[in-house]
Amino acid sequence: MVHLRENNPDVEGEALRAPLGEFAPPLRTDHPVSRPTRSRVARLNVRLRSLPAEIRIAAGKESGQGHLFHFVPVCMGLGEVVWFSLPVPPSTTILLALLPLSLIALWFSLAGTNRRALSLAALMVVAGMLLADAETRRMATIILDAPVVTTVTGVVERREAGAAGEWRYVIRLSATADPVLRRPPQRISLLARSRHGVVRIGDPITGRVRLSPPSGPALPGMNDFAFQSYFAGIGAVGFFLGAPERPSIARAAESDLWTQVDQSLFSLRDRISDRIHEVLPGDTGAFAASIITGERRSMSKEATDALRLSGLAHITAISGLNMALAAGIFFVGLRALLSLFPGLAQRYPVKKIAAGGALLAATAYVLISGYQVSALRAYLMTAIMLVAVLIDRPAISLRNLAVAATIILIAQPSAVMGPSFQMSFAATAALIAGYAAWRKAPRSIWPTPTSTSGKLATFAAKFVGGTLATSLIGGLSTAIFAVTHFHRLSTHGLEANLAAMPLISIIVMPAGFIAMLAMPFGLDAPFFWIMGGGLDLVLVVAHTVAGWGEAAFIPRQPTWFPVLVVVALLLMTLLHTGLRHGGTVLLIVTLAAAFLRSGEQPADLLVSEDGRMVGFWSQQERVGEGRVLASNRKRPPPFLFDQWQPALAADHHLPPSMESAPVLPPPADWKKEETWDSATIQLARQTLEQLVQTAKTDRFTCIRSACAAKLVDGWTVLTVDRPDLAGPACDVADIVILGGRSRMKGCRSTATFLSETTLRTSGAVEIRLGAHHDKTIEISPALSGPPRPWTIHRLYDWRTGETARQHGIDSGDSKDKDSDSETERKNGPHNPAMPVRQ
């Protein structure tokens, strides 16, 4: 009998009952015996075969722990994004029919976890589409269809001061005159630069103004400001042609209770901002007002650019940081104050009392901040956390974030398309997930201190490490949205946040919060001074870091890039099992594909939506100066060029070469119904032909009212500012672009003709040129297909009252081109300076 315990002392008692053959000693040999092992291919094959079963098990764990609830706002938001993005979304009837079908599918799939999850996801997608459709119908904003100069009368709903003393008024329009608009918008936003008696919120206002529709996309695929204006209820933007006045009428009566409450809140916000500017003048006061009341227009351009370039612009937005600090300071302070009274602390739950007080403070904060999307999201998250404290539940969790996101998506579906919603929720989800991962697997890398100095050093290290980790996680999680919407990344944002955030957390927010509590008693000035000192240091950090270098420009990415990155981030942050590693793999593959892709062929010619700015790639980029964008404007409009440059990754702008000769004939006087004779037309044609012959390939060559350039493969482009030059220009260039309105639909020659009139329906365009001998040309408009509610105003013709069926470049047939061109030459051009009657 073999004594196993003596020969194998490590064998457990359970193994003693095993058959003896299982413990037979191996045969000794002088040569190693090769063990039969599976090949790597076989092991990989087995692993792949078991992968579906492992995924089902992991999915069951996620569902069992309630993690699938995190995807409710994701699916709802997906439905809203699809509805807003589709050229032709499903009709309301179809969506209403799909909703009960989704409910029936969910009812019959209760037995299976996977089927139930898929049915619930489909239900949430359909619900999101219905919510987007309902909000669009509810807003029904009338957007101005064409620029106009008129006299307006209305009531001031909101106002905001600018850095140079100007004022921005949001006015509810009540009447227009000289001319009277046929389709007047309900609300307009006007800038008043002239000195005037500042009009209070709720008071009537009148004045001569120039109104324009909100801008469309600067280039195809870029941000559409008309979309934002539609859902903000703003139908036109513009400025006063002089000082606005108070009409000699009684104060307008309020329409309803909500209007009164809204005006009262914004009046209170104005008074708080005025008090801050009184105590803290200049950029310091503007910075403080942006943090407390959300008023950001009063900060100078230099300070705004410094904060943006340094990656600190997020401080000026009332977001989770501001709300959490405000509520946290109140919560900790009130709890500490109540704890000073032992009898009270033993008899009542001071923690819950402090949470209730912090909830009231956060509510007051969001009301005076103008309830922006980021502020609402932060308030909902903070309120849910404080309510969780009141009912003894975990305060910080992804479930709370999902509830806050769901509430916003139900109340304001259009917010899902904006960078504020996307960046705030992405950063919050990433921070919560990172915090949860750190708590789940803590690692002590610092020895336990015993002395006072050691404890202070440990605290400082943890504070710096936490700030660094927070900045890194927040920056990485929002980078994709910064690239998608703004096409730029701050290269030194991590260093700037590491230096500035301790100042915000320790000095700025506590002092500002105490100042707000002391303001009713007139004791706020000392605390505002402390807050201003901290903000001055933050501005020093911003200017210093901004001087280290410009932000990195990231050109437009293909549509699949942000979609796949968002999916990867959702998997990484919302899941807890091994399924989250699928997001890591997807993120790596997506980034690698974006880095290795060859990229699409850049457009040869860029045209703004009004035809007044045209750009092309200069040949100077071959000399080592980077990508140089040449335009026909010596000083391109900042609003437009600041969007073009990062989206196109243009390193430099090349202004045109201005020439004094040749000289074009003066325009005909349309007021006297003058027309050009044949000799004048021939002179204009010869002048333009001479300009085209002397044009360069690296930049535009310009004379008064016209510019010319030579592009690749011999293509010539001619831009003109006067409608009477359009006909002669068509005879001497391949592409003619008129920066004004015209009755012409196209050239009688083979030239391509674009004008403010044709571009009004299509928006900005990108032109790619093919073979010159074939006259092959591809035009990509910013807007195409059937109109949506926020673009239909572009198709309205105020002359005839008709509306076109869809967007796009419509040059008309040759017969129409000839007749329109001939009419233009006989009757005189349509002058853009003529008064526009809506």
Side-chain angles (χ1 to χ4, degrees):
M1 182 175 181
V2 180
H3 297 283
L4 295 177
R5 185 173 299 275
E6 294 178 1
N7 295 337
N8 302 281
D10 296 330
V11 176
E12 297 292 338
E14 292 291 338
L16 293 176
R17 294 191 292 271
L20 180 60
E22 296 184 9
F23 297 94
L27 297 176
R28 291 189 177 183
T29 175
D30 296 335
H31 303 284
V33 178
S34 60
R35 298 180 179 177
T37 58
R38 296 179 179 177
S39 65
R40 293 182 178 180
V41 177
R43 291 198 301 270
L44 180 60
N45 188 25
V46 173
R47 183 68 176 173
L48 291 177
R49 288 182 179 179
S50 62
L51 189 58
E54 294 179 0
I55 292 177
R56 286 195 298 269
I57 294 173
K61 291 181 179 179
E62 297 282 358
S63 177
Q65 297 175 5
H67 297 161
L68 295 185
F69 176 76
H70 303 160
F71 288 88
V72 168
V74 173
C75 296
M76 188 180 297
L78 174 62
E80 295 169 350
V81 170
V82 169
W83 194 92
F84 287 125
S85 303
L86 285 178
V88 184
S91 65
T92 309
T93 305
I94 294 178
L95 293 176
L96 290 175
L98 288 176
L99 189 61
L101 292 178
S102 302
L103 290 171
I104 293 172
L106 179 62
W107 175 266
F108 284 102
S109 62
L110 292 179
T113 302
N114 296 335
R115 291 193 300 271
R116 183 173 68 250
L118 292 176
S119 301
L120 182 60
L123 177 63
M124 290 297 102
V125 170
V126 174
M129 290 186 176
L130 277 172
L131 288 169
D133 181 88
E135 185 193 20
T136 305
R137 294 175 181 274
R138 183 178 72 250
M139 295 303 300
T141 303
I142 298 177
I143 299 182
L144 188 71
D145 51 86
V148 61
V149 175
T150 183
T151 301
V152 300
T153 302
V155 177
V156 176
E157 287 192 340
R158 300 179 185 179
R159 66 177 189 176
E160 195 168 325
E166 71 277 12
W167 282 85
R168 171 75 64 178
Y169 294 102
V170 175
I171 301 171
R172 180 169 290 277
L173 199 59
S174 58
T176 59
D178 193 25
V180 176
L181 305 185
R182 291 183 182 178
R183 297 175 63 253
Q186 296 97 339
R187 299 170 71 210
I188 57 178
S189 177
L190 294 174
L191 182 66
R193 296 189 179 94
S194 303
R195 287 189 175 182
H196 64 284
V198 180
V199 184
R200 297 177 302 175
I201 293 177
D203 284 354
I205 189 172
T206 186
R208 193 73 175 167
V209 301
R210 176 173 175 81
L211 295 177
S212 300
S215 301
L219 287 174
M222 294 186 63
N223 182 41
D224 188 357
F225 292 94
F227 178 88
Q228 302 173 3
S229 295
Y230 179 89
F231 288 99
I234 304 296
V237 295
F239 53 88
F240 283 96
L241 300 175
E245 301 175 354
R246 291 187 181 90
S248 54
I249 60 176
R251 182 182 176 92
E254 309 298 349
S255 56
D256 51 28
L257 178 61
W258 169 248
T259 303
Q260 298 179 22
V261 173
D262 185 73
Q263 292 182 357
S264 300
L265 289 174
F266 275 90
S267 298
L268 175 62
R269 180 189 183 213
D270 275 357
R271 292 196 296 271
I272 294 174
S273 297
D274 293 342
R275 174 57 180 169
I276 294 174
H277 287 291
E278 180 183 345
V279 179
L280 300 173
D283 284 336
T284 306
F287 202 172
S290 69
I291 292 177
I292 294 177
T293 65
E295 178 189 289
R296 287 183 280 182
R297 293 184 183 273
S298 57
M299 192 176 298
S300 67
K301 186 178 184 301
E302 293 75 15
T304 303
D305 291 342
L307 291 171
R308 177 175 52 82
L309 293 175
S310 61
L312 296 176
H314 64 90
I315 299 176
T316 61
I318 298 178
S319 57
L321 171 68
N322 311 57
M323 194 68 66
L325 287 174
I329 292 169
F330 194 94
F331 176 78
V332 174
L334 182 58
R335 187 180 182 185
L337 180 63
L338 294 177
S339 298
L340 295 178
F341 304 94
L344 182 65
Q346 294 175 2
R347 181 173 300 180
Y348 299 102
V350 294
K351 180 180 179 181
K352 295 184 178 182
I353 295 175
L359 181 59
L360 294 177
T363 304
Y365 191 13
V366 75
L367 288 177
I368 67 172
S369 67
Y371 26 89
Q372 309 162 15
V373 173
S374 59
L376 287 174
R377 192 273 313 162
Y379 169 73
L380 287 174
M381 274 295 300
T382 305
I384 292 172
M385 291 168 53
L386 294 173
V387 170
V389 173
L390 292 174
I391 61 177
D392 299 319
R393 299 295 298 272
I396 302 177
S397 68
L398 288 173
R399 180 176 293 271
N400 295 347
L401 181 67
V403 172
T406 303
I407 294 174
I408 291 183
L409 292 176
I410 292 175
Q412 192 179 2
S414 59
V416 73
M417 303 295 291
S420 178
F421 177 91
Q422 297 170 4
M423 298 178 77
S424 61
F425 275 96
T428 307
L431 289 172
I432 292 176
Y435 176 69
W438 179 259
R439 290 192 61 185
K440 186 177 179 180
R443 295 177 177 85
S444 179
I445 59 175
W446 198 267
T448 304
T450 56
S451 61
T452 304
S453 58
K455 292 180 180 179
L456 291 176
T458 301
F459 174 79
K462 289 182 178 180
F463 183 82
V464 172
T467 304
L468 180 63
T470 301
S471 302
L472 184 62
I473 293 174
L476 292 178
S477 60
T478 58
I480 176 60
F481 304 105
V483 168
T484 303
H485 292 281
F486 310 115
H487 308 285
R488 67 179 79 212
L489 279 178
S490 176
T491 53
H492 300 286
L494 184 62
E495 301 96 306
N497 280 276
L498 189 61
M501 294 317 297
L503 297 172
I504 297 294
S505 304
I506 299 175
I507 300 177
V508 174
M509 288 303 298
F513 189 75
I514 297 174
M516 290 298 299
L517 295 178
M519 184 178 292
F521 308 100
L523 304 175
D524 54 332
F527 301 102
F528 274 136
W529 292 335
I530 298 174
M531 183 183 185
L535 291 176
D536 287 335
L537 295 176
V538 174
L539 288 174
V540 170
V541 172
H543 284 286
T544 302
V545 175
W548 294 351
E550 293 284 341
F553 292 153
I554 310 294
R556 287 172 295 174
Q557 299 296 316
T559 307
W560 54 263
F561 177 73
V563 173
L564 294 181
V565 172
V566 168
V567 172
L569 292 177
L570 289 173
L571 295 177
M572 294 170 62
T573 55
L574 302 185
L575 297 179
H576 293 74
T577 63
L579 292 178
R580 68 181 184 274
H581 298 308
T584 307
V585 174
L586 179 60
L587 180 63
I588 295 174
V589 171
T590 304
L591 294 177
F595 179 78
L596 297 176
R597 76 182 184 98
S598 57
E600 62 178 357
Q601 182 68 22
D604 298 295
L605 198 64
L606 312 167
V607 185
S608 65
E609 64 176 350
D610 59 0
R612 287 178 170 80
M613 181 171 171
V614 183
F616 72 97
W617 294 109
S618 171
Q619 300 301 315
Q620 283 194 10
E621 60 178 310
R622 300 178 181 176
V623 216
E625 295 190 8
R627 294 169 61 86
V628 180
L629 184 65
S631 78
N632 63 331
R633 297 296 173 188
K634 187 175 181 180
R635 295 177 180 175
F639 175 78
L640 185 62
F641 191 73
D642 287 348
Q643 297 181 72
W644 279 22
Q645 187 176 19
L648 300 170
D651 298 302
H652 304 283
H653 169 252
L654 190 61
S657 173
M658 305 300 298
E659 306 292 340
S660 57
V663 179
L664 290 164
D669 191 347
W670 60 269
K671 293 183 179 179
K672 298 180 180 181
E673 298 185 356
E674 294 181 355
T675 59
W676 277 356
D677 54 22
S678 58
T680 307
I681 294 175
Q682 182 64 24
L683 176 61
R685 183 183 298 112
Q686 292 176 356
T687 304
L688 293 175
E689 185 176 8
Q690 182 180 353
L691 175 64
V692 170
Q693 291 175 354
T694 59
K696 303 179 178 63
T697 59
D698 62 337
R699 66 172 67 190
F700 276 98
T701 302
C702 295
I703 59 175
R704 187 178 180 84
S705 302
C707 295
K710 292 180 179 178
L711 306 182
V712 294
D713 198 23
W715 288 87
T716 56
V717 58
L718 191 59
T719 68
V720 293
D721 296 335
R722 288 161 37 187
D724 51 7
L725 299 174
C730 287
D731 299 331
V732 299
D734 298 314
I735 302 173
V736 177
I737 302 170
L738 169 62
R741 296 196 300 271
S742 173
R743 296 187 181 96
M744 286 181 57
K745 293 183 179 179
C747 295
R748 292 182 295 177
S749 62
T750 58
T752 299
F753 176 74
L754 299 174
S755 68
E756 183 180 354
T757 304
T758 60
L759 292 169
R760 182 174 163 225
T761 58
S762 66
V765 298
E766 291 182 328
I767 301 177
R768 290 174 174 81
L769 304 175
H772 183 256
H773 58 85
D774 293 335
K775 300 296 181 180
T776 305
I777 185 171
E778 177 187 347
I779 302 180
S780 301
L783 303 172
S784 60
R788 302 301 301 272
W790 50 89
T791 64
I792 196 171
H793 65 281
R794 291 176 168 272
L795 305 182
Y796 180 75
D797 187 351
W798 56 267
R799 297 181 182 89
T800 63
E802 297 178 353
T803 303
R805 294 184 177 181
Q806 63 180 20
H807 293 283
I809 298 294
D810 182 13
S811 301
D813 53 34
S814 59
K815 182 178 179 180
D816 289 339
K817 296 176 186 178
D818 294 343
S819 60
D820 289 338
S821 179
E822 191 65 26
T823 302
E824 183 94 6
R825 296 185 183 186
K826 286 183 179 180
N827 300 333
H830 175 69
N831 195 304
M834 294 179 64
V836 179
R837 297 191 179 274
Q838 301 287 309

